[in-house]
Amino acid sequence: MRALRTLGAALTLCAAAWLTAAAPAAADGKDGTDGKSGTEAPTEAGTNFRTATEIEPGQRATAAASTGDYLYWVFPTAAGQVPDVEAELKLPDASSRHGSATWQLDVYDGLRRHQPCASGTPARRAAQQDQTVTVSCTLRQVRSWSERWANDPLQGAYYVRLTVVDLPAQDLGLPIDAEVEASVRDAGGARADGGDVAPLNPVLRAGTAPGTDSEPPEDNTPSDSPNDKGGEVRHAVAEPEDGWGSGWWSDRWVWTVIGAALAALAGVGGYTLTRGPRAPGRPPIGPGSDI
């Protein structure tokens, strides 16, 4: 029993030390929802997929637009994360509107496939007297691989489209203010899946990079290609700091260590219970003995 207690204490100390050292790494690379420090949130939105404004997870982007415009943003999401998008619209004065309107939030992946919302309210009708309206969409967990026929969300760029789908014709063109925030959270190791595919991060052609004032190139200007600019090609979004795999940390490590410790304790305990009593020591054999 003394050996059992010693082994149990040693395993407990090792597990505590390992978890203490791994906790800061989990906090640093959990889901990246705070965005990169020192980066200002965008104050405009694109008008189509090619000109979508890039935002980082955790940023709250704003844009001034007109009723009826299509507003586009794009943000990166890694495998194992659950994207959540929320948009708030400040509507014109009720005196200038002629009725209610329905606002809709849509999310598309890098292949421009519409992704259904697992929860949230992607479409909401605002009455004429309402001053603000909020729509939201939480997607399914982003996977690292998928069958060809499936519409599963995959790692890469995700586009957000915000627009009005039903309103009186007289209200088209009225000014609005939009605020959009995209956040991601780690789904946890219990839902991790294997496999890996290239991230769905579309390549931006020359003259379509969002957030720049550059004009489309002239006829004598070479277009972006893998051989241009030292092999660098502009994509819709930048790769996350922890990569597209959502970092190395997973809560599976915690359960693995706990399971290994319990298995070791169970093995030592089972051996102690089943080995039986020890045999008494034999008397010494030699001159002067009774044998």
Side-chain angles (χ1 to χ4, degrees):
M1 294 302 293
R2 181 178 180 182
L4 180 62
R5 290 193 299 269
T6 303
L7 179 59
L11 290 175
T12 303
L13 290 176
C14 292
W18 187 90
L19 294 176
T20 302
D28 293 340
K30 184 177 180 181
D31 54 18
T33 56
D34 293 333
K36 298 178 182 178
S37 58
T39 304
E40 296 182 359
T43 56
E44 59 182 10
T47 56
N48 53 53
F49 286 102
R50 296 169 66 93
T51 61
T53 299
E54 181 180 358
I55 58 176
E56 298 173 0
Q59 284 185 330
R60 193 165 186 85
T62 59
S66 300
T67 303
D69 290 345
Y70 285 86
L71 307 180
Y72 286 81
W73 294 269
V74 60
F75 66 96
T77 302
Q81 295 178 337
V82 178
D84 181 77
V85 183
E86 181 177 286
E88 181 180 358
L89 289 139
K90 296 181 180 179
L91 305 176
D93 294 336
S95 59
S96 61
R97 307 207 307 266
H98 298 80
S100 58
T102 301
W103 295 87
Q104 183 168 309
L105 178 71
D106 297 301
V107 183
Y108 299 84
D109 64 10
L111 296 178
R112 302 184 185 180
R113 301 178 303 178
H114 183 267
Q115 293 296 325
C117 301
S119 61
T121 308
R124 178 165 290 175
R125 192 165 188 84
Q128 183 176 356
Q129 66 273 13
D130 292 340
Q131 296 298 319
T132 61
V133 60
T134 302
V135 287
S136 61
C137 177
T138 300
L139 300 182
R140 297 168 293 171
Q141 176 193 345
V142 175
R143 304 184 61 188
S144 59
W145 72 282
S146 176
E147 300 289 349
R148 292 180 179 270
W149 49 263
N151 191 36
D152 297 327
L154 295 173
Q155 56 194 5
Y158 278 79
Y159 294 90
V160 179
R161 185 179 72 179
L162 180 63
T163 189
V164 62
V165 294
D166 183 22
L167 82 165
Q170 302 92 323
D171 292 347
L172 288 174
L174 294 177
I176 58 171
D177 292 322
E179 294 184 0
V180 172
E181 181 178 1
S183 59
V184 294
R185 58 181 174 83
D186 195 349
R191 299 183 181 181
D193 55 1
D196 188 20
V197 296
L200 304 181
N201 195 7
V203 175
L204 293 176
R205 299 302 178 186
T208 62
T212 63
D213 297 330
S214 59
E215 298 294 334
E218 301 295 337
D219 294 338
N220 58 354
T221 303
S223 60
D224 287 342
S225 66
N227 296 326
D228 295 336
K229 300 180 182 179
E232 295 182 359
V233 179
R234 294 187 60 88
H235 292 270
V237 292
E239 182 178 354
E241 292 183 352
D242 295 332
W244 296 110
S246 188
W248 65 272
W249 171 257
S250 171
D251 54 7
R252 284 187 172 185
W253 289 102
V254 178
W255 295 108
T256 300
V257 172
I258 295 176
L262 293 177
L265 292 175
V268 174
Y271 171 76
T272 304
L273 295 175
T274 58
R275 69 180 180 177
R278 295 182 179 180
R282 297 181 178 180
I285 300 176
S289 62
D290 297 335
I291 300 179

